[in-house]
Amino acid sequence: MLLVTGGAGFIGANFVLDWVAQSDEAIINLDALTYAGNRENLASLEGNEQHNFVHGDIADTALVSALLAQHQPRAIINFAAESHVDRSIHGPEDFIQTNIVGTFKLLEATRAYWGSLKGDAKRNFRFLHVSTDEVYGSLSKDEPAFTETHQYQPNSPYSASKAASDHLVRAYHHTYGMPVLTTNCSNNYGPYHFPEKLIPLMIVNALAGKALPVYGDGQQIRDWLYVKDHCSAIRRVLAAGTVGEVYNVGGWNEKPNLEIVHTVCCILDELRGRADGKSYAEQISYVTDRPGHDRRYAIDASKLERELGWKPAETFETGIRKTVLWYLENQAWVANVLSGNYRDWVAKNYAERQA
Ligand code: NAD
């Protein structure tokens, strides 16, 4: 039995779906269903007894302790987080609450549970914390990619809150001996991605005939990894990672944001051309840059590849095509996600940024 937190969000839902497809082991999925949590992501598991959804907060110690005592999971995988940098700039408090306080409460409940285990159950237990490359800060053009020993230099409230959670996880290993693992992954893309993030936002806006807002000069560089490859890395680290270690996860796909937008437009031009025959790239609109926008992230995933034999299955070219196709084929999912709440947020965010 696994306890997965945040398994109704983008990466968590992909992880749960892949897990159920590949393993008989049951999952308890604890998710607070914030704006980013979506039960529809898990609709295909309706009635499947291998997946047990629990609506709740990782900071609710009584609930988490009861779930641990009842289900006796062999591992916890912590995806639950506030995850959007722009939202963290507008309102950092939720990020402090979930990413720092929530992780702390989850660690405390886990420590009590782990302390109660005996023999193999105690030895084999794992707490896997899912984190981001953004904790390492920004790189200049020529600096080498982030390795696991790169200094933490978070620059946004989001990355600072994730950095704090990573430090707490590390401390619970060094102080209490808890068997933790941490993964720091680059930007994910793929199915079920909430359309506030770059790639789904561009697909959804392009199809709706709206502007494609590009921050600043669009030359901010990110490393991109297809979400299913992130999920396979997490499974690999859970199965074979050394307790107390950190593993960087990335796709060796450094790309400027503007190139990503052009790639999405090209695929859409080919698969669903505009009625007027023009390219979707005509809809690109430059908006004022995000405050404190990190210039470049690049991840060195060679430790994970070398020590645990992990490799991504997708190249950026294959993964991005699958992603665009998924959005074209799942327009009902998109329509449901585009709730009033979300529209208000987009209107507020981009109205402030229009150049
Ligand atoms: P997401 O925002 O899509 O999903 C987060 C999920 O956590 C949602 O289902 C939400 O309802 C749930 N949640 C939020 N607060 C909670 C709480 N207090 N208790 C229980 N559940 C709560 O995020 P994502 O993109 O799927 O990211 C998942 C994890 O992976 C995060 O920790 C994020 O920092 C990390 N990560 C994301 C990326 C990326 O590119 N998206 C890259 C690297 C690491």
Side-chain angles (χ1 to χ4, degrees), residues 198-212:
L198 181 72
I199 290 177
L201 179 71
M202 295 303 147
I203 301 171
V204 167
N205 276 16
L207 292 173
K210 294 184 179 164
L212 308 181

Side-chain angles (χ1 to χ4, degrees), residues 9-11 31-32 34 37 57-58 79 81 83 98 131 158 162 186 188:
F10 165 47
I11 304 172
D31 195 296
T34 66
D57 194 320
I58 55 168
F79 293 97
S83 70
T98 285
S131 193
Y158 164 65
K162 288 297 291 187
S186 56
N188 284 211

Side-chain angles (χ1 to χ4, degrees), residues 133 145-146 184-189 222-230 232-233 248-255 297-302 304-305 310-319:
D133 61 354
F146 302 127
N184 291 91
C185 187
S186 56
N187 276 25
N188 284 211
Y189 66 97
R222 301 290 180 262
D223 172 79
W224 293 90
L225 183 68
Y226 190 61
V227 64
K228 305 241 170 238
D229 284 325
H230 187 189
S232 77
N248 281 354
V249 187
W252 306 102
N253 282 311
E254 275 188 61
K255 305 221 178 275
Y297 304 137
I299 201 105
D300 181 338
S302 49
L304 177 59
E305 295 178 351
W310 172 84
K311 277 238 176 310
E314 302 293 340
T315 63
F316 184 72
E317 288 65 33
T318 59

